Amino acid sequence: MTSKVYAPNVHLFAFHLKTSEPTTLLWDKCNEIISQKFGVTKQLEIEEESGYRVDLLKDKTTDDVAFHFGSNVTLDNTSLAVTGVATPLRIQDTYGLALNLRRPELEQNQTQRTQAVPSSFLKQLNPAGCLMPEQISSSIGQTLVLTVWYTEEKRWVPWKLLQHRQEIRKLADECLRAFIPPQIPCPHFNQEGELFGSPIFEYGVPSQPEKYCHILVWIFW
């Protein structure tokens, strides 16, 4: 049975050496994903500047250095809104892209909470595996972070008890499998921990670099 989750998110953090060709790889991949997979017509535009750490968005402001966009995806014949944020930057000789795709926590009226969705919704945030390492191909790697809120009726459960930790681990595994296309093997479980009071699970074994796919699943409590 598919679990329900609230406000699922995916965060891509990808890094590419400035000296690696093509130098525009991260921005090209970002525009390809948001245009071809999510139908966004506006493009991420970059403006290089001198400095050690530089926010690269062309139209950035003092208060906002990210590119915002919105779209809709279809799940079980229902159209659901998704929002996205892309933040490009350079730190010395390395380009970085933080790309977030999410089911918002609030409806467009900003007063009503969005409904919980099946964990299978996560595949809508990674159509055709567009966020996987073999698709991004950044020169110095990437990390994917999946976040979901446990639904209200579940969040009273004391998750640190062994029985409930096992249940949450199963939810993390389920979210991971839903996110990754079925033809791609899931990375092996590596370890679990706690971050800001919520359980977090790491997948991907660094000792297997040729197959390394680093994904964190963070279950907000």
Side-chain angles (χ1 to χ4, degrees), residues 6 12 28 37 45 55 65 140 174 177 187:
Y6 171 61
L12 167 69
D28 294 342
K37 306 302 184 184
E45 295 185 74
D55 294 304
V65 297
I140 49 177
E174 181 183 320
R177 183 66 275 177

Side-chain angles (χ1 to χ4, degrees), residues 108-119:
Q108 290 184 346
N109 59 22
Q110 296 297 304
T111 58
Q112 183 180 356
R113 286 165 59 98
T114 54
Q115 294 293 312
V117 294
S119 60

Side-chain angles (χ1 to χ4, degrees), residues 10-12 26-27 29-45 57 64 66-73 80-88 97-104 108 124-125 127 130-131:
V10 57
H11 302 263
L12 167 69
L26 292 182
W27 332 132
K29 290 290 184 179
C30 179
N31 283 324
E32 178 184 312
I33 289 167
I34 65 175
S35 64
Q36 295 184 14
K37 306 302 184 184
F38 294 94
V40 177
T41 55
K42 190 176 180 182
Q43 297 277 286
L44 172 70
E45 295 185 74
L57 183 69
D64 194 351
F67 173 68
H68 300 263
F69 58 92
S71 183
N72 286 274
V73 299
L80 298 172
V82 295
T83 58
V85 180
T87 307
L97 173 69
L99 176 62
N100 170 236
L101 298 161
R102 68 188 298 153
R103 174 70 176 141
Q108 290 184 346
Q124 306 298 327
L125 301 180
C130 63
L131 300 178

Side-chain angles (χ1 to χ4, degrees), residues 14-173:
F15 305 94
H16 191 68
L17 284 173
K18 187 178 178 181
T19 54
S20 297
E21 295 291 342
T23 58
T24 59
L25 179 137
L26 292 182
W27 332 132
D28 294 342
K29 290 290 184 179
C30 179
N31 283 324
E32 178 184 312
I33 289 167
I34 65 175
S35 64
Q36 295 184 14
K37 306 302 184 184
F38 294 94
V40 177
T41 55
K42 190 176 180 182
Q43 297 277 286
L44 172 70
E45 295 185 74
I46 300 300
E47 186 172 66
E48 183 64 272
E49 298 177 8
S50 61
Y52 181 83
R53 185 199 180 283
V54 180
D55 294 304
L56 296 175
L57 183 69
K58 182 178 180 181
D59 297 325
K60 64 179 178 290
T61 66
T62 303
D63 299 324
D64 194 351
V65 297
F67 173 68
H68 300 263
F69 58 92
S71 183
N72 286 274
V73 299
T74 301
L75 182 69
D76 298 331
N77 298 316
T78 301
S79 179
L80 298 172
V82 295
T83 58
V85 180
T87 307
L89 75 157
R90 176 178 57 77
I91 301 175
Q92 196 176 23
D93 63 350
T94 301
Y95 288 128
L97 173 69
L99 176 62
N100 170 236
L101 298 161
R102 68 188 298 153
R103 174 70 176 141
E105 295 177 22
L106 298 176
E107 297 287 2
Q108 290 184 346
N109 59 22
Q110 296 297 304
T111 58
Q112 183 180 356
R113 286 165 59 98
T114 54
Q115 294 293 312
V117 294
S119 60
S120 57
F121 177 86
L122 284 161
K123 68 182 178 183
Q124 306 298 327
L125 301 180
N126 186 31
C130 63
L131 300 178
M132 302 304 291
E134 55 268 34
Q135 295 295 323
I136 302 297
S137 301
S138 54
S139 62
I140 49 177
Q142 67 173 59
T143 288
L144 285 160
V145 182
L146 312 183
T147 69
V148 300
W149 285 90
Y150 224 10
T151 53
E152 289 287 347
E153 62 270 20
K154 292 276 192 176
R155 286 174 58 195
W156 63 270
V157 175
W159 68 266
K160 293 185 180 182
L161 295 178
L162 177 60
Q163 175 186 349
H164 299 142
R165 287 212 317 270
Q166 292 172 339
E167 179 182 342
I168 294 170
R169 164 67 192 283
K170 288 180 181 178
L171 175 61
D173 290 347

